[in-house]
Structure formats: C-alpha cells, structure tokens
C-alpha cells in the first residue's frame, strides 16, 4: 500500500528541520538560547506572584520557605540545571515534553485546543464538500511550502522566531505505550485520512516531491463518494467499528487496546490500518451536523456532539482521531481545527490556519483575475497537465479502512463511547462575541488590549465570587531556540486593588487609575516573560532536576544502567520516521534524552526531603490554575478555546479583533453562561466609566464660542437681544455635549454604577448591587450601630444636580 511505500523511503529523505538552510529555517542557527535567570531574581518574582493569593500569615510562611531554599537546596539545583542545559537547545524542552507525554487522562477536553475558522467569504464554498476540498488543497500547499523550505519564517517586530515546531504539525501522531506516550512522525507522508460517520477512508494527495497530485474538483468527487459510501452503513454497524473513539480513552487503556488491535503482528490488517492513520498528513473530519450558534460550533470543534439514537451514539464525538491534527468541516460548511498540543503551540497552528484561510481567498481571487497574487513562492504543477506516470506509486482513489474486530475491542468501543459521553456531559461551553468595541477603542483609551481583557476576567470572577484565584496566561518565547511559552501570572497586587476598587462605590477616576496601574503591571510582567525571565518554567525545571536526581539514585541502587539509545528511560521519543519492519531508525529524533541530571558519573545524594519551596502550600496554590486563559487569534478565526484545566476553574480562549472581542469559556458546569454575561456587562460598564473620565474638548463650534463669549461678558450694558439670549440659556437643563463632559469639558467624577448607567445595562452583576455600597463588613458594621443623626428633610432627597457657574 501507499503508506508502506512512503515509509520505505525515509532513509533517503532528509527531515525538514535537519535540511540545508532555506528560507524557512534560515535563522535557526542564530537564535539565542533560553536564558537561565539568577536564582534570587526567580525567587523574588515567585514571591511577588503568590502574595496576592495568600493571607499575610501564609505569605510569611512562604517567604521563610523560599529563604530556606536559597540557603540549602536551591544553589545546588541551580548549578545542576546550568550544567544540564549546557548541551541542550533549551533547558526546559525535555521537561516540557515529559509533562505532556506523562499525562494519562484523555486528551479530548483536557489537552487538545480548537480553532473555529470564519466562514468562507466565497458563497459557492459554503457547503461541506466544496469547503472541505478547498481547505484540503490550501493545507497541502502549506505542507509543500514547508517541505521545500519556501515558507517565510515568523517574525515579531523584525525579530525572527523559532520555526522548529512547524514540521511537527503534519504527519505526526501521539502514540500511547505501556510506559507513556511517544510522538512519531513520517516526514515523507503523502496521504490523508477522511472520517465520515465514524468510518475511515484514505487516499494519496502528494507525490514524492510533495507536489499536489489531485485537483480540487477531483478531491470534491472523492469526498462526495466517501459521504455516499458512509451513509450506506447502518448506524449500528458504524458504531461497532468506530475505532476513533479509542483515542479518547485514558492513555494507558488506549495503549492496551492498541496492543489488542495489533496482536496478529506488524503485517496484520489492523496494524496496517493504524500505520495509515498514524502517518497521515492530517485527518479530515466530515461531520453530519449543522451547528448554528458559536457555542455549538465551538463545542463541536472541541469534543464533538453527543447524540444517542436507539441506544447508539450518532453524534460527531466518535468521528474523531484526537492523537493527530484534525480539520473538521460541518454539513453547513462551518470549519475548524482540533490539534494535539504536545509538539506545537497555538501560535504555530494559528500561522498554518491563517495561511490556509488566506490561500482559499486568494485562489478564488485568481479565478476572477488571473494575475491576482499567490501566498506561495511556487505552485505545484497542474495535475491535469502531468503524465500520470510521473506521480509514482500513488493511489488517489479513496479506500475504506475495515478493522478486524474481536470481542474485546467491541466491548472496549462501547465502554469508551459511554465514558466519552459522560466526559462531554460534564463540561459546558459558552461563547461571547462582543461587538461593541475591540482593539481600536481599547488602544485609543491608552491601554494594552491584552492587559485590558485580562483585567476583565479578574473583575468578572471577583464580582461573582468575591475573591481572586490563580490565573495563567502563556507568553510566547519563540524568539529563543526551541522556545515554547512562559507563564504570565495575571493576579498581582495591582490587579487585586483594581477589582476591589471597581466593586466599591468609588469615584470613576479612582477606578480608572486602578485599572491603568493593573494593566501597566500586567504589561510589564508580560514583557519579562517574553524575554524568558519569568519564574514558572525555571522553578519547574529545578523541580524536575530534583526529581531526576532521585530517579537516578534509585536506578543506581538497583543497578539499572542499561538503556536504549533511541528511547528515553521513560519511553518517550520523537521519531523522524514511523517505524515499520525493515525501516531504518538511524534518523530517529528523540524528544527525551538519557543524560545525567547530576552532571557527574557518581550519583550524588539527593535531598532526603522535598525542597522547602516545593513543599510549601503556595507551590500547589499557584499551580492549581482556576482561570486558564490564552490570547490567540486573528481575522481568520471566529473563536478559539480549550477545556478547563481544573474541575473548579474556567478555560478561557479569546481573540481581540479591531472592533470586537471573541471569548470562549468552558467549565465543568460552573455557571459558565453567568460568567460570560458578567463579562459582557463589565465591558459595557468599563466603557461607560472610561467615557465619563475623559477630559477631551468637544469639537470646536463657532456658535458655542460666541455663546461662551456672551456669558463671559454678562448681561450688563448689553442690548435687549443679548439679554433675551441669556434668559433662554438659563432656562432648562444644560445638556452634555462632547466626550462625557458635563459642562465646559469638565468630567463628572461620579461612580458609573447607577440604576440607569452602564450603557443601558443594569450593572455588571445584574440585579445584585451589594458591591455598590462597599464591603459587606462595612454594611454590617453600620447596621449594628444605632443612628443618632436626624433624618434629612424631604428637599434633600435625591442626587444634587451640578449647577453651571455664571
């Protein structure tokens, strides 16, 4: 079969990231390594990050634990880390992969994020077959540009970014084993897998030069044939062969089930089917559903739908293979991407998604104007004009994968499906598509858009629960070699001051000042993290160094010195090829390594107890993320999101566009809709507050200039006409003209949380207004004290209207 032919050519094929320097990887050799900061600076930032989450007594205990760490274990672990990092591209890379590949829980809803693409602007492509074919052709063009190293490298403000992750987007798979997961990839893969009604099909789409060998029209015919064939299978039979649902299982269970699938040997039918799926460029999922709302669409892209008919699962949740990159297209043409997160970050997949979306638009433009530009440096030759013999050993006709099922697998499928349905029902998803303003308004007010939205999350959570919790936001560190992310800890002393001030009956100017200080702090922390100078990754690496020291000591005592050269002691590797019988493994590229963390042949004695900084409760507190957030998107995306990382928390993916903000929120039924509604009310309320504190002069008007001049001169000595004008001016209420000014450009320094304020809304918390009067303790204190003051007269009731000075 084609897959076998593909893998047999691995020895003669160079991995893209090992190839001679081209455009794509031209800057790799000049990228700096991720810095290892001074231990004292890291500990200082750690204390600063945990302080807002603690009481005074708890923080004092943490300070003591950090001091002890700096005096005892810290310096030794720091030296070990420096020595270990000396021969590594990145000191955190190995520990990063281990943390992902050691994860035993299902990847669906726990690890895999999703992108929801905007609808295709071309009306004729707003149906499933044409949209799927269009996205596939554009994705293959991206693969071709990447393999030929014609893909322009990423840059940020002129600084090149690491491109190491890109070859791991396609033809890669997360493979479960009894010792943990491994990542394997075939850089010469030429086929795709199509899933429809939980059944699998495959066909070749590239030749050995990575040129596209199928036209968009032929691809549409293939997809329509697959849909027609899948519809002929009764739902009961389809459910019994829905092997993709096994990829949603616990990883150790999935590893055992793969052993059962391949128990007849490497040449068996099931083994060959697994090879085809694992080595495919990507999986194209054709869903027989048409979600309408953004929340329904997002949930479908994240985990699929759960629909049971006559005791049979007919939802899209079984029409998936979560160990790989998946392009998902609904019946109505809505499309999205679900991707395995171990080897790639959201920023990397976003580049792919945005390029694919852009290419679909440009290809349509070329049908109107043949001179329209192309996104790619070169194009594949027209398949219709090529000699079919030049395609090589390929098969462009769809073939259905038919699995050999045994009783154990049939039972496992049923149990896996019911557990997946439970998992889906345990989570809920809401999307806020806020269209009142976006980046343009936020920047016009002098705020960083990301910091502004992060403070919205803090205010909304505090408004609902009256407390702050550990919040995580990733900062991209791809300016460094093999860079991934650093953790931004949003909660700060400044952010806590802001949310408290915002929920009090404080003047608007004080609230805005507190918001500005909190945003400035967040921006400063973000810049430090982007420079690789945050504390989270560094401390986690020290923790891993300590753990490895213990493991090595245990191995030494047990005389377990023999280790395989291509697989780490934990069994985690990234293979440059998908290993088949007789295939070379010399180009195997390992995610893990066997180097000694102690840095010397003699195993040193590890600390008898856990280092004080990691034994302190603050370490668990800050790593139990309640608000897991991520900003990832551009105009090609409608939404982006992921599942909650904590049973008590929210998963928040957001996109800040020019004139709107898209926020996808998930939780395990923790009033997700109410949290989203609170966010929307906050955004409206903060806009009203900002406008109320603006000191901009209204537009210049000659008539008003004359009016001011008349008022300045006064009525004395003036003619009857002027006195009449003055009389009219003093009659009635003077209206506000301009940017929130009350009179002559002066701002009203009052709280915006009034009955009729907040742009027509009733406040951030809806009907609850107890925050308006300050803290609950203050309310109780006032209630208990008898009043000795005389009640004011009737004429003093109500808000005093500010009079104009004459």
């Amino acid at each position: 079969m084609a897959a076998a032919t593909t893998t047999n050519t691995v020895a003669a094929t160079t991995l893209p990231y090992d190839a001679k320097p081209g455009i794509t990887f031209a800057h790799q050799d000049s990228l700096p390594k991720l810095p290892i900061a001074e231990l004292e600076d890291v500990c200082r930032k750690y204390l600063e990050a945990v302080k807002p989450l603690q009481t005074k007594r708890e923080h004092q205990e943490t300070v003591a634990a950090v001091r002890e760490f700096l005096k005892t274990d810290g310096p030794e672990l720091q030296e070990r880390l420096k020595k270990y990092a000396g021969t590594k591209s990145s000191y955190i890379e190995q520990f990063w992969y281990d943390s992902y590949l050691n994860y035993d829980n299902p990847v669906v809803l726990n690890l895999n994020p999703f992108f929801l693409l905007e609808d295709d602007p071309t009306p004729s492509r707003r149906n499933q077959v044409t949209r799927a074919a269009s996205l596939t052709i554009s994705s293959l063009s991206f693969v071709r540009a990447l393999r030929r190293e014609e893909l322009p490298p990423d840059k940020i403000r002129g600084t090149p970014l690491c491109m190491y992750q890109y070859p791991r987007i396609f033809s890669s798979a997360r493979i479960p084993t009894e010792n943990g997961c491994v990542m394997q990839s075939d850089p010469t893969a030429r086929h795709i897998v199509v899933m429809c009604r939980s059944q699998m099909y495959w066909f070749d789409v590239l030749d050995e030069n990575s040129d596209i060998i199928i036209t968009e029209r032929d691809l549409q015919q293939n997809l329509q044939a697959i849909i027609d064939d899948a519809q002929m299978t009764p739902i009961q039979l389809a459910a019994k062969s829905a092997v993709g649902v096994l990829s949603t299982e616990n990883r150790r269970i999935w590893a055992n089930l793969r052993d059962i699938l391949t128990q007849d040997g490497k040449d068996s039918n099931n083994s060959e089917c697994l090879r085809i799926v694992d080595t495919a460029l990507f999986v194209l999922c054709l869903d027989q559903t048409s979600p309408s709302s953004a929340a329904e669409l997002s949930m479908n892209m994240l985990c699929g739908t759960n629909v049971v008919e006559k005791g049979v699962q007919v939802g899209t949740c079984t029409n998936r293979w979560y160990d790989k990159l998946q392009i998902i297209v609904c019946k109505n043409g809505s499309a999205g991407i679900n991707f395995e997160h171990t080897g790639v970050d959201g920023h990397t997949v976003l580049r792919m998604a945005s390029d694919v979306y852009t290419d679909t638009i440009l290809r349509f433009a070329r049908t109107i104007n043949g001179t329209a530009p192309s996104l790619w440096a070169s194009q594949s030759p027209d398949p219709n004009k090529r000699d079919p013999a030049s395609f090589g050993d390929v098969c462009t006709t769809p073939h259905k994968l038919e699995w050999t099922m045994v009783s154990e697998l049939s039972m496992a499928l049923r149990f896996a499906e019911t557990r997946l349905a439970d998992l889906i029902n345990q989570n809920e998803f809401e999307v806020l598509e806020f269209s009142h303003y976006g980046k343009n308004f936020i920047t016009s007010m002098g705020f960083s858009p990301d910091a502004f939205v992060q403070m919205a999350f803090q205010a909304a959570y505090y408004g609902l629960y009256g407390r702050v919790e550990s919040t995580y936001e990733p900062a991209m560190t791809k300016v460094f070699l093999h860079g991934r992310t650093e953790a931004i800890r949003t909660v700060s002393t400044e952010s806590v001051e802001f949310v408290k001030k915002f929920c009090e009956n404080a003047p608007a100017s004080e609230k805005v000042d507190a918001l500005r200080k909190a945003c400035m702090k967040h921006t400063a922390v973000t810049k430090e993290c982007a420079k690789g100078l945050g504390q989270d990754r560094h401390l986690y690496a020290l923790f891993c160094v300590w753990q490895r020291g213990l493991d090595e000591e245990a191995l030494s005592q047990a005389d377990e010195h023999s280790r395989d050269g291509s697989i780490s002691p934990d069994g985690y590797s990234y293979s440059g090829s998908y290993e088949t019988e007789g295939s070379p493994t010399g180009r195997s590229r390992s995610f893990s390594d066997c180097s000694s963390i102690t840095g010397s042949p003699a195993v040193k004695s590890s600390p008898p107890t856990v280092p004080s900084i990691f034994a302190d409760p603050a370490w668990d507190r800050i790593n139990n993320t309640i608000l897991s957030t991520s900003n990832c998107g551009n105009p090609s995306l409608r939404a982006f999101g992921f599942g909650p990382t904590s049973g008590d928390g929210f998963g928040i993916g957001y996109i800040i566009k020019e004139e709107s903000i898209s926020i996808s929120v998930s939780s395990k039924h923790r009033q997700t809709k109410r949290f989203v509604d609170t966010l929307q009310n906050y955004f409206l309320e903060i806009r009203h507050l900002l406008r109320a504190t603006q000191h901009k002069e209204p537009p210049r008007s000659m008539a008003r200039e004359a009016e001011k001049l008349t008022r300045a001169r006064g009525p004395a000595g003036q003619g009857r006409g002027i006195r009449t004008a003055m009389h009219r001016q003093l009659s009635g209420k003077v209206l506000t003209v301009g940017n929130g000014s009350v009179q002559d450009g002066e701002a009203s320094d009052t709280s915006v949380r009034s009955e009729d304020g907040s742009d027509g809304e009733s406040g951030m918390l809806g009907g609850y207004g107890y925050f308006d009067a300050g803290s609950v303790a203050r309310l109780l204190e006032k209630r208990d004290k008898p009043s000795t003051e005389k009640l004011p007269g009737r004429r003093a009731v109500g808000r005093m209207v500010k009079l104009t000075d004459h």
Side-chain angles (χ1 to χ4, degrees):
M1 298 179 74
T5 304
T6 300
T7 51
N8 286 339
T9 62
V10 169
T13 304
T14 305
L15 291 177
Y17 41 83
D18 284 339
K20 294 180 180 179
I23 297 176
T24 305
F25 305 99
H27 303 291
Q28 290 299 107
D29 293 339
S30 60
L31 292 175
K33 295 174 70 172
L34 188 69
I36 299 179
E38 294 297 326
L39 186 60
E40 291 76 9
D41 292 338
V42 172
C43 290
R44 175 181 52 80
K45 292 177 181 177
Y46 172 72
L47 288 174
E48 186 178 348
V50 299
K51 183 178 181 179
L53 304 173
Q54 298 177 300
T55 64
K56 289 184 178 180
R57 181 175 180 178
E58 289 172 339
H59 189 63
Q60 289 174 355
E61 294 174 352
T62 300
V63 170
V66 169
R67 287 174 179 170
E68 181 183 351
F69 178 72
L70 288 172
K71 292 178 181 179
T72 56
D73 305 311
E76 181 184 355
L77 294 178
Q78 175 83 342
E79 289 305 312
R80 288 190 193 178
L81 179 62
K82 289 181 177 180
K83 193 166 187 178
Y84 165 81
T87 58
K88 310 299 176 186
S89 299
S90 168
Y91 75 82
I92 193 63
E93 183 177 25
Q94 184 55 54
F95 306 133
W96 178 282
Y97 291 134
D98 288 348
S99 68
Y100 273 92
L101 297 173
N102 269 320
Y103 192 77
D104 283 339
N105 288 336
V107 294
V108 58
L109 277 165
N110 290 314
L111 287 183
N112 286 27
F114 79 90
F115 289 148
L116 175 61
L117 298 174
E118 287 283 5
D119 291 337
D120 196 307
T122 310
S124 62
R125 288 178 179 159
R126 292 175 187 171
N127 64 80
Q128 185 174 47
V129 171
T130 54
R131 184 80 193 276
S134 175
L135 290 173
T136 299
I137 291 295
S138 295
S139 298
L140 296 178
S141 298
F142 187 94
V143 173
R144 180 180 183 273
L146 178 62
R147 289 183 173 180
R148 296 169 68 94
E149 300 194 21
E150 295 174 350
L151 194 69
D154 292 330
K155 291 185 178 181
I156 180 169
R157 292 185 290 273
T159 302
L161 303 181
C162 182
M163 300 292 288
Y164 182 69
Q165 296 177 25
Y166 281 88
R168 304 183 177 195
I169 301 177
F170 302 100
S171 67
S172 295
R174 180 186 181 115
I175 311 296
T177 73
E178 61 180 5
N179 294 318
C181 291
V182 297
M183 294 298 296
Q184 291 183 331
S185 178
D186 181 2
T188 62
R190 295 185 272 175
H191 65 283
I192 65 171
V193 165
V194 181
M195 297 189 68
C196 183
R197 295 182 181 270
S198 306
Q199 299 163 78
M200 299 183 189
Y201 304 80
W202 72 273
F203 54 90
D204 287 322
V205 288
L206 300 176
D207 63 14
E208 61 181 6
N209 296 319
S210 297
D211 285 326
I212 302 173
I213 60 174
I214 189 169
T215 65
E216 188 170 348
R217 177 171 295 183
D218 289 339
L219 185 56
Q220 291 178 17
Q221 293 178 351
N222 277 7
L223 299 181
Q224 188 61 57
I226 288 173
I227 293 173
D228 295 340
D229 183 82
Q231 289 176 339
M232 296 173 61
T233 305
I235 59 175
Q236 292 84 358
L237 292 180
K240 292 179 180 179
S241 60
V243 178
V245 74
L246 298 180
S247 68
T248 70
E249 268 286 16
N250 174 280
R251 304 307 294 180
R252 294 188 184 277
I253 295 176
W254 180 204
N256 292 332
L257 294 175
R258 280 183 69 106
D259 290 339
I260 296 174
L261 274 170
T262 58
Q263 62 186 357
D264 292 334
K266 293 184 178 181
D267 296 326
S268 65
N269 173 70
N270 284 350
S271 295
E272 184 64 13
C273 288
L274 275 177
R275 276 194 289 270
I276 290 174
V277 176
D278 291 338
T279 62
L281 289 164
F282 53 85
V283 177
L284 176 64
C285 304
L286 303 178
D287 286 352
Q288 298 304 302
T289 184
S290 298
S292 55
S293 68
E296 292 173 343
L297 281 165
S298 298
M299 198 71 175
N300 187 63
M301 302 306 168
L302 180 64
C303 58
T305 60
N306 171 35
V307 181
V308 178
E309 292 183 4
K310 300 179 181 180
V312 178
Q313 179 64 256
V314 295
T316 61
C317 61
T318 59
N319 195 47
R320 300 285 187 272
W321 193 275
Y322 283 98
D323 291 343
K324 292 181 65 66
L325 172 71
Q326 302 175 100
I327 298 176
I328 305 167
V329 185
C330 299
K331 201 170 184 178
N332 59 0
S334 298
I337 294 173
N338 185 291
F339 60 96
E340 206 287 321
H341 196 14
T342 302
V344 291
D345 295 319
H347 179 271
T348 303
V349 183
L350 175 62
R351 163 73 186 278
M352 185 273 290
S354 60
D355 279 6
V356 166
Y357 186 81
T358 303
D359 184 62
T360 61
I361 298 173
L362 292 178
R363 283 192 297 110
F364 175 70
R366 287 196 295 276
T367 64
I368 302 173
N369 184 346
T371 61
S374 172
L375 194 62
W376 319 114
S378 64
Q379 300 283 339
S380 292
D382 187 347
N384 287 331
K385 298 179 181 180
R386 291 181 58 181
D387 181 358
S390 66
F391 294 157
D393 183 13
V394 296
C395 181
T396 58
T397 303
H399 284 67
K400 183 177 181 180
L401 296 179
E402 295 182 338
W403 304 85
T404 303
M405 304 299 294
V406 297
S407 59
E408 291 175 281
L409 289 175
S410 299
M411 292 180 62
L413 282 180
R414 178 58 184 266
F415 297 147
E417 181 272 312
T418 55
R419 279 192 285 267
L420 174 60
D422 276 346
L423 185 61
I424 293 174
N425 289 333
Q426 290 165 11
N427 292 266
E428 61 180 359
F429 211 89
E430 294 289 339
V431 175
L432 171 61
E433 294 184 295
F434 186 79
S435 58
H436 296 274
Y437 61 85
K439 178 182 177 181
N440 289 339
F441 171 77
I442 297 171
T443 54
S444 72
M445 294 290 129
F447 292 93
S448 158
D450 183 72
F452 184 90
V453 174
Q454 281 289 328
M455 292 309 117
F457 302 147
Q458 294 298 307
Y461 191 90
Y462 186 84
L464 283 177
Y465 299 103
R467 64 179 184 271
V468 296
E469 296 283 7
S470 178
T471 306
Y472 168 89
E473 180 190 4
M476 181 184 65
T477 56
K478 286 170 66 176
V479 294
F480 302 103
L481 185 64
H482 294 193
R484 298 294 297 253
T485 63
E486 177 58 88
I488 305 170
R489 295 299 174 180
T490 303
V491 179
S492 63
T493 302
E494 290 81 358
S495 73
V496 174
E497 288 297 321
F498 161 65
V499 296
K500 288 181 178 180
K501 183 70 66 176
F502 184 82
C503 292
E504 292 178 359
N505 190 25
S509 60
E510 292 185 11
K511 295 182 179 184
V512 171
D513 289 343
L515 173 61
R516 199 169 299 279
K517 290 177 182 177
C519 288
M520 291 175 64
K521 176 63 177 180
H522 184 81
T523 301
V525 172
T526 300
K527 290 179 179 179
E528 285 289 294
C529 291
K531 296 176 182 177
L533 299 177
Q535 76 280 346
D536 274 64
R537 301 295 183 252
H538 190 139
L539 288 176
Y540 180 68
L542 294 178
F543 180 74
C544 292
V545 166
W546 173 76
Q547 278 191 321
R548 279 199 172 191
L550 291 183
D551 293 340
E552 288 184 11
E553 184 177 8
L555 288 173
S556 177
Q557 292 174 351
D559 291 327
E560 295 178 2
H561 297 296
S562 59
R563 299 176 182 176
D564 183 75
S566 61
I567 304 294
S568 75
D570 295 327
Y572 307 138
S573 68
Y574 183 93
S575 300
S577 65
Y578 187 92
E579 296 185 17
T580 57
E581 188 174 9
S583 67
T585 60
R587 300 205 61 80
S588 210
R589 194 172 183 87
S590 176
F591 263 8
S592 295
D593 60 81
C594 311
S595 56
S596 173
I597 204 69
T598 60
S600 63
V603 179
K604 298 181 180 179
S605 297
S606 298
T609 57
V610 178
S612 58
I613 193 172
F614 306 126
D616 183 71
W619 177 252
D620 292 332
R621 178 76 179 274
I622 199 170
N623 285 293
N624 180 27
T625 302
I626 301 301
L627 295 181
S628 180
T629 72
S630 182
N631 177 6
C632 186
N634 62 27
S636 68
L637 300 188
R638 181 178 176 183
F640 149 70
F642 44 88
T645 59
S646 168
D648 298 328
F650 294 96
I652 307 174
Y654 59 104
I655 305 171
I656 307 173
K657 301 183 180 181
E658 298 295 324
E659 301 295 341
S660 63
I661 305 171
S662 171
I663 304 176
S664 304
V665 184
S666 63
S667 79
K668 294 188 180 298
H669 294 280
R670 198 179 173 188
Q671 300 193 86
T672 312
K673 186 179 186 305
R674 191 176 183 185
F675 182 76
V676 166
D677 290 343
T678 306
L679 272 175
Q680 171 160 303
N681 290 339
Y682 167 85
F683 282 128
L684 292 173
E685 201 160 339
I686 202 70
R687 179 179 67 174
H688 186 83
L689 187 151
L690 289 170
R691 286 176 170 174
T693 56
Q694 289 301 295
H695 297 272
K696 295 181 179 179
E697 290 290 337
R700 182 180 177 87
S701 168
M702 296 304 296
R704 292 196 182 98
E705 291 293 332
E707 184 178 329
K708 289 182 180 181
L709 181 61
T710 301
R711 282 168 35 204
R713 290 175 177 174
Q718 304 300 323
R720 178 178 176 83
I722 297 178
R723 287 196 297 272
T724 304
M726 286 297 300
H727 178 73
R728 289 199 305 268
Q729 177 185 342
L730 296 173
S731 301
K733 179 181 178 182
V734 178
L735 301 181
T736 297
V737 179
N739 298 311
S741 57
V742 176
Q743 184 77 3
D744 296 334
E746 295 177 5
S748 171
D749 195 24
T750 60
S751 175
V752 299
R753 191 164 286 117
S754 59
E755 291 295 327
D756 58 348
S758 301
D759 297 322
E761 298 292 333
S762 59
M764 184 176 73
L765 296 175
Y768 292 95
Y770 59 85
F771 282 117
D772 298 349
S775 67
V776 177
R778 200 181 309 162
L779 282 177
L780 295 175
E781 181 182 353
K782 289 183 178 181
R783 184 190 65 181
D784 295 337
K785 291 182 178 180
S787 176
T788 59
E789 297 180 2
K790 183 178 179 180
L791 292 176
R794 181 180 174 185
R795 294 182 181 275
V797 175
R799 179 171 64 88
M800 182 180 295
V801 178
K802 184 176 181 179
L803 298 178
T804 305
D805 297 328
H806 298 290

